[in-house]
Amino acid sequence: MVAFIARRLGQSVLVMLAVALIAFLIFRFVGDPVASMLGQDANQGDIAELRDRLGLNDPFYLQFYHFVLDALRGDFGISYRLQQPVSDLILSRLPATIELAVTSAVIALVFGIVLGIYTALRRRSVETAFIMTVSLIGVSLPTFLIGIGLIYLFAVELQVLPSFGRGQVVDLGWWRTGFLTESGLKSLILPAITLSLFQLTLIMRLVRAEMLEVLRTDYIRFARARGLARRVIHFRHALRNTLVPVITIAGLQLGSVIAFAIITETVFQWPGVGSLFVNSVQAVDVPVMAAYLVFVALVFVVINLIVDILYWVVNPRLRDSASGGR
Amino acid sequence: MTETPLLSVRDLVVEFPRRGETFRAVDGISFDIAPGEILGVVGESGAGKSMTGAAIIGLIEPPGRITRGEIHLAGSRIDNLPEAKRERLRGKRIGMVFQDPLTSLNPLFTIGRQLTETIRRHLPLTPAEARQRAVDLLTEAGIPRAGERLDSYPHQFSGGMRQRVVIALAIAGEPELVIADEPTSALDVSVQAQIIAVLKRLCTSHGAAVLLISHDMGVIAETAARVVVMHHGRIVETGSVGDIIKRPREPYTVRLIEAIPSIRRLHGAPATAPAGVPDAAPLVEVRGLSRDFVLTRRGPLQRLLGRKEEVLHAVKDVSFTVARGTTFGLVGESGSGKSTCAWTMVGLLRPTAGTVLLSGHDIWDGREGERYRRRRVQMIFQDPYASLNPRWRVGDIIAEPMRALKLAEGRSETEDRVAELLRRVRLDPAALRRFPHEFSGGQRQRIAIARALSSRPEFIVCDEPTSALDVSVQAQVLDLMQELQREFGLTYLLISHNLAVVRQMADHVGVMHRGALVEERPVDALFDDPKHEYTQMLLAAVPDISRVA
């Protein structure tokens, strides 16, 4: 177990270093930081002095080394656009994104798994046919269209839910949450549904396909031949086997929910990390872009690590070959 | 039989609606099983054996269903019961054992959990009592240290051990009838005999009758008293095992019995005289062949710490020769190194040590050896369903070796030669425009043989060429292989776990055990007077119809 996690951690560190290198290269090659800091009419002496002070005359590897050290301390420099430390910017926006992502991930997982099981067990019912058709729409419609459609229906026509922003937030000192106020919760509904819809249909279809596959296996037939109750066969034997492959895909999907909430955040003007990134791209705010890149990679690496460990816990076959050293 | 039969099947019909027409899997069969009796059901694939078993326990996969007939269990009718009541019969009154022990158990649960949940479903026991009963059942099924093994997962058991667990599960609810559907077909010969014994012992001691379904007449002959022969969904003949084997009445039964190769020379045919000159220089010479597999790859850290690699010696110092025009049989259990040996001889796997000589040329001698080998050595694989590319036409499949080796010039010559090859393997030359899925298993294996012949090889390695085929088809394919051997003067290396097939085909036999060649002699000498104790054990374990009095 320890060796397994250590190996995975080692691989994660390698991935993070590679991403940091790419982020660092963006710094170096997308425009000259000195030019953007001093402006057009700076004299040569000032430029040379600033270059020296910023360490830009150091060799490449030394600069990268400093970049990584700073990044580890959470220092990604100052935003060109907002003139604030990048890490403060991201941290202040992170709660909004995480609350949105977690809510939509929960929606996607709960409804995806429940509907997936339902449609697999009631394979020929009318409800299944209906759900499958609707899910096809969910997969094929782009996120922004669904978002705009929901805004039109619930915010413009019915006027029951707000169309943008986070509503009122409560400041807990280190975290600003929208979960504790009515307007915060109301504001969360539409973006969370929009963001979860694609993942929901994907997880549902995956669970359904896996479940149908598992129900055809010999051990399910044998479980029936042993006279086990239908409920036990479906929800103990079949479900657990179904979830083994689902964990991998669902984990990576949740990663992309956190990392790529950009479109949803833009449509609903959600004050999260995604909209920060979009604004930074427009202003060529390189430090924010680089930090965002590292942040997204970190999210994926952490989720991947969790998925691997989960997989290892669920699947006894893996446990043996990893710890037994066989 | 004066008492009421335990199970009585009357005029049973099982149908599958399929694209407008209905397919009758079981077509009006009737039979009885007395309490405690072991009844064998024998027949080839597609005969409706398994479907009969599924109908009795109520597990026919939809859209299949029983459309006529009645099934009575201990006097009361069960085939028309609602599903909820049917469910309560399963495991409690009728148990079932499936063919493949590797897939019958849920891989994510310990065997103890699977046993106790079954026991507690059927018997009013506390968890602790159920656990004790699980230990007792496993001990009875011959699993050593059952108490400790209870918390192991299925993958931690061997195939034979898993089938013991499956049998223990099937009788956990004390059923009156156990349906065993090919319980040993996926197992090695030596394990097969033990499992049959376990099945028989457990069912006898728990007073359960057995419906034993098998394509292997040998297994039935050693286990059952009465046997039902099925063909195309109908019962052809019913009788005592001795009568069916010694005095079959129906033509189909006669053919079926005749097609079964025996490890004894039943039909009095002498060994086919080797086509080649016996003392000519050997075509194939294997010298000191070894092949290791590294089981644990060492990372850089482990290498620094000096951790040893774990190595499996799949083949250990094997030497033998095969004379031109003869067949060398290689037998042994799975994992004994037969296939590894074959792969090094066709160039698929590089030997760790030793040489393979073909007419004196080392086939592993760089590019030169490869060029020499590729034309002269071919291979026929076990599974004709997996060894032919499903997206290619038969003509292209057979022509591929010719094209790859540039043996034929132009399209018309290639096509002529493919057609000729198809004729040689007794297939219609028109087959070359069709796809593999349009052919049956036996026909596909003929296509595979035609492909092997297409480069005009001298030496063909046949890895279990008939294990995936029915007995009657197996006989045809083996006959064809013998005819082709005479026509083309071919030399075969025949790998099989089926000793009867080897006895029929081979001139020389080598017995492999744990990677080593333990005995290697002319076929009759080896079978009639085995010297090595492993060979003796192997021969004694084979279920054989000729032993029935």
Side-chain angles (χ1 to χ4, degrees):
Chain A
M1 174 81 195
V2 178
F4 171 77
I5 292 180
R7 198 164 60 231
R8 281 283 183 274
L9 269 177
Q11 288 166 355
S12 307
V13 169
L14 277 183
V15 170
M16 287 312 296
L17 276 178
V19 172
L21 182 64
I22 294 171
F24 174 68
L25 290 179
I26 292 179
F27 260 119
R28 277 178 64 89
F29 295 116
V30 181
D32 184 358
V34 176
S36 45
M37 284 167 93
L38 290 180
Q40 295 286 320
D41 44 325
N43 65 43
Q44 288 296 322
D46 288 348
I47 291 179
E49 196 221 301
L50 189 65
R51 274 191 174 280
D52 206 44
R53 197 149 56 81
L54 291 176
L56 289 175
N57 293 328
D58 291 347
F60 173 77
Y61 61 88
L62 208 62
Q63 287 188 47
F64 181 55
Y65 173 72
H66 286 301
F67 175 80
V68 171
L69 274 192
D70 287 346
L72 282 178
R73 271 187 272 128
D75 181 3
F76 284 93
I78 311 277
S79 160
Y80 296 163
R81 185 169 61 98
L82 300 168
Q83 298 300 324
Q84 285 175 33
V86 172
S87 38
D88 288 359
L89 272 176
I90 289 189
L91 279 181
S92 71
R93 298 236 175 181
L94 204 55
T97 294
I98 286 184
E99 283 183 5
L100 174 63
V102 167
T103 311
S104 56
V106 170
I107 294 175
L109 274 178
V110 170
F111 285 90
I113 291 176
V114 168
L115 288 177
I117 294 170
Y118 181 85
T119 51
L121 294 182
R122 299 265 156 83
R123 198 146 42 114
R124 297 183 200 288
S125 71
V126 184
E127 292 90 337
T128 298
F130 176 75
I131 293 171
M132 293 307 289
T133 315
V134 172
S135 79
L136 206 61
I137 299 172
V139 172
S140 47
L141 278 187
T143 316
F144 66 88
L145 207 66
I146 292 172
I148 291 170
L150 287 176
I151 288 175
Y152 178 76
L153 188 64
F154 290 101
V156 179
E157 288 294 319
L158 301 174
Q159 303 208 338
V160 286
L161 294 171
S163 64
F164 68 89
R166 264 188 104 185
Q168 270 188 308
V169 289
V170 177
D171 201 335
L172 300 177
W174 49 274
W175 188 278
R176 284 206 308 228
T177 177
F179 280 149
L180 297 177
T181 61
E182 198 194 321
S183 75
L185 286 175
K186 268 186 164 177
S187 315
L188 190 61
I189 295 175
L190 289 186
I193 290 178
T194 309
L195 188 58
S196 68
L197 214 53
F198 179 79
Q199 321 296 335
L200 191 160
T201 45
L202 191 86
I203 290 173
M204 183 194 106
R205 288 179 159 256
L206 193 70
V207 168
R208 177 183 137 92
E210 277 302 325
M211 187 91 173
L212 286 175
E213 194 69 31
V214 169
L215 286 177
R216 270 196 295 270
T217 56
D218 276 359
Y219 54 82
I220 295 299
R221 276 196 85 201
F222 186 54
R224 293 180 66 193
R226 282 189 276 152
L228 298 185
R230 196 161 271 272
R231 189 174 34 81
V232 172
I233 295 174
H234 288 161
F235 294 104
R236 197 185 296 163
H237 286 269
L239 186 59
R240 184 130 172 222
N241 279 285
T242 302
L243 291 184
V244 172
V246 170
I247 286 173
T248 319
I249 306 283
L252 290 179
Q253 284 303 319
L254 297 189
S256 62
V257 163
I258 298 176
F260 304 124
I262 297 174
I263 295 174
T264 310
E265 289 191 3
T266 310
V267 170
F268 288 95
Q269 294 173 39
W270 190 260
V273 186
S275 55
L276 174 72
F277 176 69
V278 171
N279 295 333
S280 308
V281 170
Q282 280 159 358
V284 201
D285 196 346
V286 177
V288 178
M289 283 155 66
Y292 186 75
L293 190 65
V294 175
F295 163 72
V296 167
L298 187 68
V299 167
F300 271 98
V301 162
V302 169
I303 285 183
N304 230 330
L305 192 67
I306 294 172
V307 164
D308 278 341
I309 293 171
L310 263 184
Y311 208 76
W312 188 87
V313 169
V314 173
N315 196 341
R317 277 166 294 189
L318 216 59
R319 240 176 284 167
D320 265 22
S321 54
S323 65
R326 199 159 46 89
Chain B
M1 256 184 282
T2 46
E3 51 191 333
T4 47
L6 171 69
L7 182 83
S8 170
V9 176
R10 286 287 163 268
D11 194 27
L12 181 73
V13 175
V14 178
E15 287 183 331
F16 279 80
R18 194 189 275 172
R19 283 196 228 118
E21 53 189 314
T22 41
F23 167 69
R24 274 201 177 179
V26 177
D27 191 3
I29 63 164
S30 307
F31 63 88
D32 291 330
I33 302 179
E37 189 193 3
I38 300 182
L39 177 74
V41 176
V42 75
E44 300 180 75
S45 51
K49 311 180 300 272
S50 296
M51 209 46 74
T52 306
I56 293 169
I57 200 168
L59 285 178
I60 299 178
E61 297 289 328
R65 60 199 179 93
I66 299 174
T67 49
R68 206 174 70 203
E70 295 178 7
I71 302 171
H72 294 262
L73 183 67
S76 52
R77 188 167 171 186
I78 58 167
D79 61 283
N80 56 356
L81 288 177
E83 177 56 29
K85 287 196 174 157
R86 211 66 218 273
E87 197 177 280
R88 236 159 280 155
L89 292 180
R90 288 200 283 267
K92 179 76 191 141
R93 299 190 61 192
I94 307 178
M96 187 144 186
V97 175
F98 288 106
Q99 172 170 359
D100 193 349
L102 301 185
T103 56
S104 293
L105 299 169
N106 190 335
L108 301 187
F109 292 102
T110 62
I111 60 156
R113 186 159 169 199
Q114 299 188 49
L115 270 161
T116 46
E117 72 178 354
T118 314
I119 293 166
R120 296 197 64 210
R121 167 85 173 155
H122 300 301
L123 306 170
L125 296 178
T126 64
E129 286 169 343
R131 201 176 154 88
Q132 186 49 47
R133 192 176 150 75
V135 173
D136 294 345
L137 276 170
L138 287 181
T139 312
E140 234 186 306
I143 290 189
R145 297 182 293 117
E148 300 162 38
R149 302 301 312 261
L150 218 50
D151 294 317
S152 303
Y153 288 91
H155 70 269
Q156 292 164 323
F157 291 85
S158 69
M161 283 296 163
R162 279 194 232 186
Q163 198 64 316
R164 288 169 196 262
V165 175
V166 169
I167 293 173
L169 274 165
I171 62 158
E174 297 285 335
E176 296 141 72
L177 173 69
V178 171
I179 301 170
D181 191 352
E182 306 270 11
T184 59
S185 306
L187 303 172
D188 268 326
V189 204
S190 56
V191 184
Q192 205 174 7
Q194 298 166 10
I195 295 300
I196 286 289
V198 167
L199 182 70
K200 214 168 159 172
R201 191 177 70 233
L202 254 66
C203 291
T204 313
S205 68
H206 290 253
V210 181
L211 180 73
L212 177 65
I213 297 168
S214 181
H215 71 281
D216 187 342
M217 197 66 188
V219 167
I220 301 242
E222 300 226 328
T223 321
R226 272 194 322 133
V227 60
V228 169
V229 181
M230 284 188 73
H231 184 49
H232 288 329
R234 294 167 195 265
I235 290 182
V236 180
E237 199 169 345
T238 311
S240 76
V241 168
D243 277 348
I244 295 281
I245 291 170
K246 295 277 162 60
R247 294 169 289 279
R249 289 191 308 271
E250 299 296 323
Y252 175 75
T253 320
V254 175
R255 280 208 309 279
L256 188 72
I257 301 291
E258 272 179 0
I260 302 170
S262 171
I263 59 164
R264 271 146 259 270
R265 296 222 179 269
L266 261 192
H267 315 300
T272 45
V277 191
D279 43 24
L283 176 72
V284 183
E285 215 179 328
V286 176
R287 279 198 215 136
L289 188 73
S290 295
R291 169 72 207 200
D292 300 339
F293 290 102
V294 179
L295 295 179
T296 42
R297 288 247 164 266
R298 289 179 306 171
L301 188 68
Q302 280 117 319
R303 211 165 294 174
L304 266 178
L305 294 173
R307 196 175 288 179
K308 277 241 178 70
E309 284 182 330
E310 271 182 76
V311 173
L312 171 79
H313 303 286
V315 174
K316 283 182 287 195
D317 194 21
V318 167
S319 303
F320 60 88
T321 59
V322 188
R324 187 181 290 276
T326 65
T327 301
F328 189 91
L330 210 50
V331 300
E333 297 174 46
S334 52
S336 63
K338 310 185 299 278
S339 290
T340 309
C341 206
W343 287 3
T344 57
M345 292 172 73
V346 292
L348 289 174
L349 206 60
R350 186 174 287 279
T352 313
T355 49
V356 179
L357 300 178
L358 187 70
S359 312
H361 294 72
D362 185 351
I363 67 159
W364 280 108
D365 181 18
R367 193 161 287 193
E368 204 56 47
E370 183 181 326
R371 198 172 306 143
Y372 193 81
R373 178 193 78 224
R374 278 180 66 195
R375 226 205 90 188
R376 292 172 178 82
V377 182
Q378 288 291 339
M379 185 158 183
I380 299 170
F381 295 87
Q382 171 173 3
D383 187 353
Y385 293 87
S387 66
L388 301 177
N389 188 335
R391 305 262 180 276
W392 280 29
R393 289 180 198 276
V394 168
D396 293 324
I397 290 173
I398 297 176
E400 194 186 17
M402 287 188 229
R403 289 189 184 132
L405 298 167
K406 301 191 177 61
L407 296 177
E409 309 210 345
R411 274 181 68 142
S412 62
E413 196 195 332
T414 311
E415 203 149 290
D416 287 349
R417 285 177 58 176
V418 170
E420 173 59 23
L421 282 166
L422 282 169
R423 265 192 293 275
R424 290 292 179 110
V425 296
R426 284 55 166 172
L427 284 173
D428 184 0
L432 64 86
R433 308 226 176 280
R434 291 159 67 189
F435 287 96
H437 70 259
E438 299 173 59
F439 297 89
S440 69
Q443 288 172 323
R444 284 186 214 208
Q445 202 60 309
R446 284 160 196 267
I447 294 169
I449 294 173
R451 172 177 62 182
L453 288 174
S454 114
S455 72
R456 298 188 184 156
E458 298 166 28
F459 179 51
I460 300 183
V461 173
C462 317
D463 191 355
E464 304 270 7
T466 59
S467 337
L469 306 175
D470 273 325
V471 227
S472 62
V473 181
Q474 165 174 298
Q476 293 165 13
V477 170
L478 293 178
D479 283 348
L480 176 72
M481 283 173 60
Q482 279 179 329
E483 284 170 40
L484 292 170
Q485 180 167 42
R486 278 193 294 274
E487 277 177 51
F488 295 97
L490 295 169
T491 308
Y492 290 135
L493 177 78
L494 175 71
I495 294 174
S496 184
H497 69 276
N498 188 334
L499 296 170
V501 166
V502 171
R503 169 131 218 191
Q504 187 193 326
M505 296 288 291
D507 303 296
H508 249 79
V509 180
V511 181
M512 286 198 73
H513 181 47
R514 295 191 183 155
L517 195 65
V518 294
E519 189 165 0
E520 188 247 306
R521 286 158 65 204
V523 63
D524 285 339
L526 186 115
F527 275 82
D528 295 336
D529 179 27
K531 292 272 190 265
H532 195 274
E533 60 184 294
Y534 177 73
T535 317
Q536 292 165 357
M537 193 279 284
L538 207 59
L539 287 173
V542 177
D544 197 59
I545 55 167
S546 62
R547 271 188 228 151
V548 175

